[in-house]
Amino acid sequence: RWKLECEKMLGRLMRQEKAWPFLEPVDPVALGLPDYFTIVKQPMDLGTVKHKLDACKYLEPREVLNDVALTLRNAMIYNPETDFVWKLARAMKDIFLSLVNGSEILRSA
């Protein structure tokens, strides 16, 4: 049951207008970010979360939630607060928390 709840939450999150920078892994070469892997030690993105969820790689819902939070935290760690990606990540974090709080994810585990 928790997997279905996580799939719903993740789908809603990925369809957000602000989600586009977080849907695929960051490509530091294409984006000209040579220090990305120096600063971001555990890269994560929502597409990878979806793939792992679809492949049943998560054993409990907190693992899914942790990876979504990691995705947004990485963006906020790498980018300065004045950057639009930081602002999108902050907005997505609020949406994520709202979706989780309004769901049965943790209650259905």
Side-chain angles (χ1 to χ4, degrees):
R1 172 139 169 88
W2 67 262
K3 185 175 183 278
L4 179 61
E5 291 294 323
C6 285
E7 288 169 348
K8 282 196 251 178
M9 177 275 302
L10 187 60
R12 289 183 186 129
L13 197 60
M14 292 177 79
R15 287 189 298 274
Q16 295 293 318
E17 187 178 297
K18 296 171 173 61
W20 64 269
F22 316 111
L23 298 178
E24 297 179 352
V26 171
D27 183 342
V29 175
L31 295 172
L33 309 172
D35 61 347
Y36 184 77
F37 292 121
T38 303
I39 295 168
V40 175
K41 303 298 185 192
Q42 287 184 272
M44 186 53 62
D45 64 278
L46 299 179
T48 299
V49 175
K50 182 178 181 342
H51 176 74
K52 288 174 67 175
L53 189 57
D54 290 345
C56 298
K57 299 287 185 187
Y58 294 111
L59 300 177
E60 62 178 24
R62 287 195 187 279
E63 293 175 324
V64 178
L65 302 180
N66 287 343
D67 273 355
V68 171
L70 176 62
T71 299
L72 303 173
R73 189 168 50 251
N74 284 344
M76 294 174 76
I77 288 169
Y78 186 80
N79 297 285
E81 287 185 34
T82 54
D83 191 275
F84 77 98
V85 173
W86 188 96
K87 292 174 183 175
L88 291 175
R90 179 69 195 142
M92 287 291 289
K93 180 181 173 185
D94 290 342
I95 294 166
F96 168 59
L97 293 174
S98 176
L99 288 171
V100 171
N101 290 334
S103 76
E104 296 289 322
I105 292 173
L106 296 176
R107 292 183 286 280
S108 65

